[in-house]
Amino acid sequence: MEADEGSVNDLVELGLSRYESRVYLALVRRDSYTAAQVAREAEVPRQRIYDVLDGLVRAQLAVAHRGRVATFTAVAPELALTRLMNRQRESLERLEKVSAGLTSMLLPLWADGRAHTDPLDYIEVLRDQRQIAERFADIQEQAGSELLTFCMPPFVAPAANTSGIKATRRLRRAKGTVRAVYTHDALADEEVLENVRRFTEAGEEARFAQHLPLKLVIADASLVLCDMPDPVAGTGATTALYIEHPALAACLRLAFQSVWEAAEPMREAAELMEDAALELDREG
């Protein structure tokens, strides 16, 4: 079946992956399908079909009928679309809460900054790459229960980042949390991807997003290291801020959680990139 690309794109906008969209559109056309039948009908690789169907079942957009051969049925479109819209509303509500929290937190800091000419004593401004790398190593070592990271080039730590691997293993042994969001570009960089695999083996939870606002590390909702382009210092230069401020760190942690919720695991991110490449090939 040649899926209606307009309908596929609409379902992607509502939060489904392209494979999930194609499979759901195939399911609505018949009372039930086996996995093999719907894979053929939706033109989805056989090795991916069970993951896609499981995702639709978990999202309550399809129903699995167990038997000698399992079959799958689509949930009625009006109910399925209502559930997808509810998920989007919940995501928007989370972002609104994050925005309100950041606004209430940052406005006093901004107002206070208008009255001072000296740097705040809980903020350290770094421009030297060596110092930034040292602070990055410090914040990983100081993390006691949680380490959250937005990872994007250019990277200041050595490619191996052995101190980060040790910190990840230490935190996971202590039942702590280590999470990182990478950009989709990492999937096309073998060196970065290998580093992601090493951290995943050490216990890091990794997800991928199309874009990240800035490089960011948050430890224990109290320490922050963020790196951003510096329009004052010149093109290509960066300024890093090392901040010891639990209230600000807590707000940035909410922002991280919102991006984390919307990001995809490695397999789904790779699938999206594969779909985008195929579409470019067709257009070319």
Side-chain angles (χ1 to χ4, degrees):
M1 177 198 73
E2 186 63 31
D4 177 355
E5 285 304 311
S7 298
V8 170
N9 292 335
D10 289 342
L11 288 172
V12 169
E13 287 293 323
L14 287 171
L16 294 185
S17 71
R18 298 196 72 81
Y19 282 172
E20 287 172 337
S21 301
R22 294 171 70 88
V23 169
Y24 179 78
L25 290 172
L27 288 175
V28 299
R29 287 171 164 82
R30 239 172 70 175
D31 179 58
S32 65
Y33 278 104
T34 66
Q37 288 171 337
V38 77
R40 183 168 56 253
E41 184 72 8
E43 298 180 357
V44 170
R46 287 284 294 272
Q47 64 270 27
R48 295 283 293 113
I49 191 61
Y50 285 103
D51 288 340
V52 174
L53 287 167
D54 285 345
L56 290 173
V57 171
R58 286 196 304 272
Q60 295 182 298
L61 305 180
V63 177
H65 306 283
R66 305 302 175 188
R68 188 175 63 84
V69 177
T71 59
F72 298 85
T73 302
V75 167
E78 64 272 21
L79 180 56
L81 293 173
T82 297
R83 286 170 176 166
L84 287 173
M85 284 298 300
N86 286 339
R87 284 167 52 181
Q88 294 297 314
R89 290 190 186 98
E90 289 169 3
S91 178
L92 181 59
E93 287 171 2
R94 285 196 299 270
L95 289 173
E96 288 175 343
K97 289 178 182 177
V98 168
S99 177
L102 281 171
T103 299
S104 62
M105 183 63 247
L106 293 176
L107 275 177
L109 293 176
W110 181 85
D112 191 50
R114 303 312 94 191
H116 295 81
T117 57
D118 295 328
L120 299 175
D121 58 5
Y122 48 81
I123 298 178
E124 183 179 4
V125 180
L126 307 166
R127 289 197 176 95
D128 180 79
Q129 290 295 309
R130 180 181 57 81
Q131 289 182 324
I132 295 173
E134 289 174 354
R135 284 292 177 270
F136 180 54
D138 288 344
I139 200 169
Q140 292 179 115
E141 292 173 2
Q142 291 182 62
S145 60
E146 185 179 72
L147 189 65
L148 310 175
T149 310
F150 285 163
C151 298
M152 54 191 295
F155 300 105
V156 297
N161 193 7
T162 54
S163 61
I165 293 290
K166 290 179 181 178
T168 299
R169 289 172 177 160
R170 172 176 55 79
L171 286 166
R172 294 299 293 154
R173 284 196 300 268
K175 308 300 182 184
T177 299
V178 183
R179 288 179 171 176
V181 181
Y182 300 82
T183 60
H184 285 176
D185 292 343
L187 295 168
D189 188 320
E190 281 301 322
E191 183 177 3
V192 175
L193 195 56
E194 178 57 29
N195 209 35
V196 173
R197 293 191 182 102
R198 291 176 60 248
F199 269 83
T200 301
E201 290 172 0
E204 179 186 82
E205 298 174 66
R207 289 190 180 181
F208 295 79
Q210 183 68 37
H211 302 288
L212 291 174
L214 76 171
K215 290 195 285 186
L216 176 71
V217 186
I218 308 169
D220 300 333
S222 61
L223 302 176
V224 174
L225 178 66
C226 58
D227 195 2
M228 62 197 74
D230 188 347
V232 177
T235 304
T238 58
T239 295
L241 301 180
Y242 184 76
I243 306 169
E244 298 184 41
H245 195 293
L248 178 60
C251 285
L252 291 174
R253 182 179 182 275
L254 289 175
F256 177 94
Q257 295 293 359
S258 289
V259 175
W260 174 265
E261 291 292 335
E264 308 95 9
M266 182 183 295
R267 184 171 54 194
E268 293 183 19
E271 173 191 307
L272 288 173
M273 289 190 66
E274 179 184 348
D275 287 347
L278 289 173
E279 286 186 11
L280 286 175
D281 287 341
R282 292 193 193 104
E283 293 173 359

